[in-house]
Amino acid sequence: MSSLIDVHTHLHPPKLFRAIRRWFAERSDWDISAQPTEPLDVAAQYRAAGVERFVFCSYAHKTAMARELNAWLCQTSRDLDGYGLPLATVHLDDASYLDDLRTALDDGCIGLKIHEDVQRLAVDDPRFDPVYAELARRGGFVLAHIGPIPWDYPPHAGRERVEAVVAKHPGLNFVVAHFGAPDSYDYLALMERHPRLYLDTTMYFAQESPIGSRFVHDAAAVEAHANRIVYGTDYPNIPFAYDRELRGLEALGLPAPALRAIVHDNGAALIEEALSGART
Ligand SMILES: [Zn+2]
């Protein structure tokens, strides 16, 4: 079994998880009801699948909830003995959002999750600038879900927002979720100029995925950027089994070192940089 570092998974407090499950049941045709939600059960799935470490997140979809949510994420990470590491959430309409981030990083978060669609925020909102500066200073990374995918796929605009952020914050490790769909190969070109820009694999390479099955996969382009692609899955909020993302990646036929960089080494390095704290 391969050793995996999964940088994109979800754990939510029970009440929020129930609401998210209800949303998928009522508003989508995804059947995710079979996947566990209790942190210990989810972690057991990862151990069985050969996951060495995972990064998990939730998101504040409205004001006045980020602080409590971050505290829950950090306590959950401690309950898991650090096997899972949390990303913080902030809401820009909270007056204390920068302080919320600092508190969360002090408490064990290794970066920040932004979900543009669920949170109704844009990554290039200038109110994020002090947040990005703080994350860059402390080596934490951003994991960003850009735009309204998987419900709609408007091209280019999301990628332009990301480009504005990484140009303004060259010291910030910035991971675009879902392999940057629908602008994936534009992002790969952007990486030449932006050495801290990454894409995660989440729901892009699994054959059964409603996202990835829309796109043609270019194994040569993936191999050429294998040092900037990180493995993620969105588990347990996916309508297919955990191993499908890995099977999809394996099906690309990449050389072993490139596959290992993607499923383990790059994610391990992002985590290590965040855990080692302030840069000089
Ligand atoms: Zn996600």
Side-chain angles (χ1 to χ4, degrees), residues 7 87 110-116 121-125 128-129 131-133 135-136 139-147 158-180 187 190-191 194-200 227-230 266 270 273 279:
V7 303
L87 297 177
I110 62 166
L112 176 74
K113 173 70 189 287
I114 300 171
H115 195 306
E116 285 196 326
L121 302 168
V123 289
D124 63 347
D125 188 313
F128 271 125
D129 285 334
V131 167
Y132 295 150
L135 286 163
F141 67 91
V142 171
L143 173 62
H145 179 123
I146 303 298
R159 199 259 300 142
E160 284 164 14
R161 292 193 294 278
V162 171
E163 185 168 11
V165 171
V166 296
K168 204 167 174 183
H169 298 276
L172 177 65
N173 289 327
F174 197 99
V175 182
V176 178
H178 305 298
F179 208 62
Y187 282 108
L190 260 191
M191 284 174 180
H194 299 287
R196 293 185 184 276
L197 175 63
Y198 295 79
L199 297 183
D200 85 18
N227 64 337
R228 229 75 80 57
I229 298 168
V230 287
N266 301 334
L270 283 177
E273 189 169 353
R279 294 191 192 129

Side-chain angles (χ1 to χ4, degrees), residues 179 184-185 188 191 199-201 204-205 216-230 248-255 257-259 261-263 266:
F179 208 62
S184 304
Y185 297 95
L188 297 183
M191 284 174 180
L199 297 183
D200 85 18
T201 65
Y204 194 82
F205 295 96
V216 175
H217 299 165
D218 180 343
V222 170
E223 183 185 345
H225 298 87
N227 64 337
R228 229 75 80 57
I229 298 168
V230 287
L249 282 164
E250 288 170 345
L252 294 174
L254 302 171
L259 184 61
I262 292 170
V263 302
N266 301 334

Side-chain angles (χ1 to χ4, degrees), residues 205-220:
F205 295 96
Q207 254 174 22
E208 298 79 355
S209 165
I211 296 181
S213 52
R214 303 171 59 98
F215 298 101
V216 175
H217 299 165
D218 180 343

Side-chain angles (χ1 to χ4, degrees), residues 3-61:
S3 191
L4 306 169
I5 303 278
D6 190 335
V7 303
H8 186 160
T9 76
H10 290 280
L11 291 174
H12 311 281
K15 194 165 156 242
L16 183 56
F17 228 139
R18 280 195 295 276
I20 291 168
R21 287 288 160 104
R22 227 173 11 250
W23 190 94
F24 275 102
E26 288 167 7
R27 307 272 300 274
S28 83
D29 57 2
W30 295 16
D31 183 5
I32 58 174
S33 56
Q35 322 285 27
T37 58
E38 284 298 316
L40 290 172
D41 297 339
V42 177
Q45 298 279 316
Y46 297 142
R47 285 205 170 88
V51 174
E52 181 182 304
R53 210 156 203 196
F54 68 98
V55 178
F56 64 97
C57 57
S58 186
Y59 23 69
H61 61 287

Side-chain angles (χ1 to χ4, degrees), residues 16 58-70 89 91 94:
L16 183 56
S58 186
Y59 23 69
H61 61 287
K62 54 185 192 208
T63 58
M65 67 180 286
R67 189 168 279 260
E68 194 182 330
L69 192 48
N70 289 332
T89 184
H91 199 293
D94 286 330

Side-chain angles (χ1 to χ4, degrees), residues 266-278:
N266 301 334
L270 283 177
I271 290 172
E272 182 53 42
E273 189 169 353
L275 289 178
S276 60

